[in-house]
Amino acid sequence: MPEGKIVKALSGFYYVLHDGVMIQCRGRGVFRKNKITPLVGDEVIFQAENERDGYIMEVKERKNELVRPPIANVDQAILVFSAVEPDFSTVLLDRFLVLVEYNHIKPLICITKMDLTKEKEKEAIKEYAEQYRNIGYEVLLTSSETEAGIEGLTPHVEDKISVFAGQSGVGKSSLLNVLRPELELKTNDISSHLGRGKHTTRHVELISIGNGLIADTPGFSSLEFTDIEAEELTYCFPEIARESEKCKFRACLHISEPKCAVKAAVETQTITQYRYQHYVDFLQEIKERKPRY
Ligand SMILES: Nc1nc2c(ncn2[C@@H]2O[C@H](COP(=O)(O)OP(=O)(O)O)[C@@H](O)[C@H]2O)c(=O)[nH]1
Ligand SMILES: [Mg+2]
Ligand SMILES: [Zn+2]
């Protein structure tokens, strides 16, 4: 039986991409009984009824699964931040990075609206970019207006399922429009935002960009650390994780423990002060989180 990938789910139908052809499929009845809900991004085995319709027979094991938006097998999150309008924020970026790291998804940092920066702002952004690159992250500086830096994005979306993440207004739709001009996605569109009420089911669709697929709905809409435990936070900051191997205590949380290698690395500026501060603030937030029953 043929295999394919669900690229769109709408009104009980799953649209399965197989050899460049879209097959409209229904789920097998047994799914409902077994509580399997096929998701966009799922690799599936299907049975074709004819050239256009079929039945999904099996959902293959998922690599991961996002809840909002519901999408499976996400390889990469493209974290979109504008240099200005709204201003670049390291605390917000770190919040996204923690969630992405926690979900074992590869982050790609894309800073947009570089054309709007004044010389001083441009220098500051370049310095931040260098600091994040030193941690090990890929950082792209782009402009959808002049299309500068966009060519750097294309190879990163090849052969992957990517989701965009980032505040409203940072330029996510504009980026997609540059990547695929024929889409003509609405930018800065307030009316569609209001129309999307809480009760309407979110429809998710993967848009093909070359050999890659990008979700049209931004991921990580909830930025709360509901699942992360205090001792897991270290591993969501790669440079803190690296240094923590040298802490005296295995369970060191790098706050006031003696012989903490992380705090020593902040002193020598191997770890930036602001990244460490965000770690401390997020840890506090996790500790104050109300227990769920
Ligand atoms: N000058 C400039 N404006 C941009 C750029 N990217 C987006 N914008 C503008 O910023 C606003 C919000 O962009 P949009 O793509 O809708 O953001 P989204 O909410 O993240 O999808 C729109 O008015 C865009 O025209 C850019 O690189 N340069
Ligand atoms: Mg948009
Ligand atoms: Zn420590």
Side-chain angles (χ1 to χ4, degrees):
M1 267 188 285
E3 290 184 20
K5 188 178 283 177
I6 301 178
V7 293
K8 178 172 152 184
L10 192 65
S11 317
F13 285 106
Y14 301 100
Y15 295 83
V16 177
L17 193 62
H18 168 75
D19 269 350
V21 179
M22 195 95 93
I23 319 281
Q24 178 175 293
C25 292
R26 286 203 174 274
R28 221 170 46 155
V30 66
F31 284 148
R32 219 163 306 147
K33 215 169 69 195
N34 296 346
K35 294 198 170 133
I36 296 172
T37 308
L39 293 177
V40 166
D42 269 330
E43 302 277 352
V44 298
I45 296 174
F46 68 96
Q47 189 166 40
E49 296 277 286
N50 53 50
E51 280 168 17
R52 279 164 307 170
D53 308 275
Y55 279 91
I56 293 176
M57 305 303 284
E58 190 184 327
V59 174
K60 299 193 134 190
E61 198 183 328
R62 289 171 188 149
K63 186 164 90 175
N64 58 35
E65 187 180 326
L66 295 186
V67 183
R68 266 166 298 167
I71 161 166
N73 300 319
V74 176
D75 297 298
Q76 174 170 266
I78 304 172
L79 306 182
V80 184
F81 280 76
S82 47
V84 290
E85 299 180 25
D87 283 343
F88 179 69
S89 153
T90 57
V91 65
L92 196 57
L93 173 58
D94 288 345
R95 190 173 274 278
F96 274 108
L97 283 171
V98 163
L99 290 165
V100 168
E101 294 281 356
Y102 184 74
N103 283 282
H104 300 290
I105 295 170
K106 181 185 175 300
L108 172 66
I109 301 168
C110 184
I111 302 180
T112 60
K113 306 197 191 184
M114 287 303 287
D115 61 293
L116 297 180
T117 56
K118 299 191 192 83
E119 207 46 50
K120 255 195 156 156
E121 294 162 333
K122 190 171 288 160
E123 288 313 310
I125 294 292
K126 283 184 176 168
E127 201 171 324
Y128 281 128
E130 226 19 65
Q131 289 165 351
Y132 280 91
R133 286 183 189 124
N134 285 339
I135 298 168
Y137 291 120
E138 197 87 49
V139 185
L140 302 175
L141 306 182
T142 66
S143 163
S144 300
E145 186 68 29
T146 67
E147 303 197 7
I150 302 286
E151 72 288 347
L153 187 57
T154 323
H156 285 287
V157 299
E158 286 287 295
D159 302 318
K160 292 190 189 79
I161 295 182
S162 303
V163 293
F164 275 124
Q167 283 172 282
S168 168
V170 293
K172 298 179 293 298
S173 300
S174 302
L175 274 178
L176 270 178
N177 279 337
V178 179
L179 291 169
R180 268 201 54 186
E182 73 277 18
L183 288 175
E184 294 179 13
L185 294 177
K186 288 183 186 157
T187 56
N188 205 13
D189 191 26
I190 291 164
S191 59
S192 81
H193 203 82
L194 291 174
R196 191 180 273 161
K198 276 215 160 120
H199 306 290
T200 48
T201 38
R202 282 222 178 180
H203 123 261
V204 185
E205 184 170 350
L206 296 175
I207 296 167
S208 60
I209 307 283
N211 274 331
L213 292 165
I214 301 187
D216 67 343
T217 325
F220 301 94
S221 47
S222 161
L223 287 175
E224 283 176 39
F225 304 134
T226 42
D227 299 322
I228 306 177
E229 299 301 333
E231 34 314 326
E232 294 173 315
L233 190 62
T234 289
Y235 304 99
C236 299
F237 287 79
E239 77 279 40
I240 294 182
R242 281 195 290 271
E243 294 299 328
S244 74
E245 288 176 19
K246 291 175 266 167
C247 292
K248 182 171 166 80
F249 298 104
R250 265 251 152 270
C252 187
L253 289 176
H254 331 301
I255 302 297
S256 52
E257 298 90 336
K259 302 227 165 113
C260 170
V262 170
K263 288 184 79 175
V266 176
E267 289 297 317
T268 59
Q269 294 174 25
T270 308
I271 292 176
T272 64
Q273 180 63 46
Y274 63 89
R275 286 272 294 172
Y276 174 69
Q277 190 56 50
H278 298 157
Y279 166 83
V280 172
D281 295 345
F282 296 166
L283 186 68
Q284 190 60 28
E285 192 175 317
I286 288 168
K287 285 179 170 170
E288 284 170 2
R289 184 176 64 202
K290 291 194 181 66
R292 284 169 300 156
Y293 298 103

